[in-house]
């Protein structure tokens, strides 16, 4: 494919296609966490202060739901865990 200047643009289109594929895979998890966070904030399947059982077997108290991560206080280790919203939405 040539433009009106007689320059072949095939390499440009292949490069742009490959770059968009790489950017798409790189932002997939970020966008999944973001939209899951919006869903959790709007739908609110649980409230702040609810006790959650995690896949790891630990349980904790829901402290804060953000746009990308949810903050949970774990009883056993007395620490704060940040769980990606896409994992919590599952």
């Amino acid at each position: 494919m040539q433009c009106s200047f007689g320059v072949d643009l095939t390499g440009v289109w292949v490069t742009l296609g490959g770059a968009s594929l790489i950017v798409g895979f790189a932002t997939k998890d970020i966008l999944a966490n973001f939209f899951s966070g919006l869903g959790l904030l709007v739908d609110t399947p649980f409230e702040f202060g609810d006790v959650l059982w995690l896949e790891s077997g630990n349980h904790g108290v829901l402290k804060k739901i953000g746009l990308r991560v949810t903050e949970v206080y774990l009883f056993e280790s007395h620490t704060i865990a940040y769980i990606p919203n896409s994992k919590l939405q599952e």
Side-chain angles (χ1 to χ4, degrees):
M1 175 180 202
Q2 291 186 351
C3 70
S4 60
F5 298 114
V7 178
D8 187 22
L9 297 177
T10 305
V12 173
W13 291 117
V14 169
T15 303
L16 285 176
S20 64
L21 184 71
I22 291 170
V23 169
F25 277 119
T27 59
K28 178 184 68 150
D29 290 335
I30 294 170
L31 291 175
N33 287 330
F34 176 75
F35 287 114
S36 294
L38 284 178
L40 287 171
L41 288 171
V42 171
D43 192 22
T44 57
F46 29 72
E47 298 176 6
F48 302 107
D50 283 353
V51 176
L52 302 175
W53 289 94
L54 305 177
E55 289 180 357
S56 63
N58 295 332
H59 64 284
V61 174
L62 179 69
K63 291 296 205 180
K64 177 182 162 189
I65 298 175
L67 283 178
R68 289 189 40 224
V69 294
T70 297
E71 186 178 321
V72 177
Y73 175 76
L74 300 176
F75 295 126
E76 290 85 11
S77 58
H78 300 289
T79 58
I80 300 290
Y82 296 98
I83 303 169
N85 287 333
S86 61
K87 296 291 181 187
L88 196 62
Q89 188 81 20
E90 292 174 0

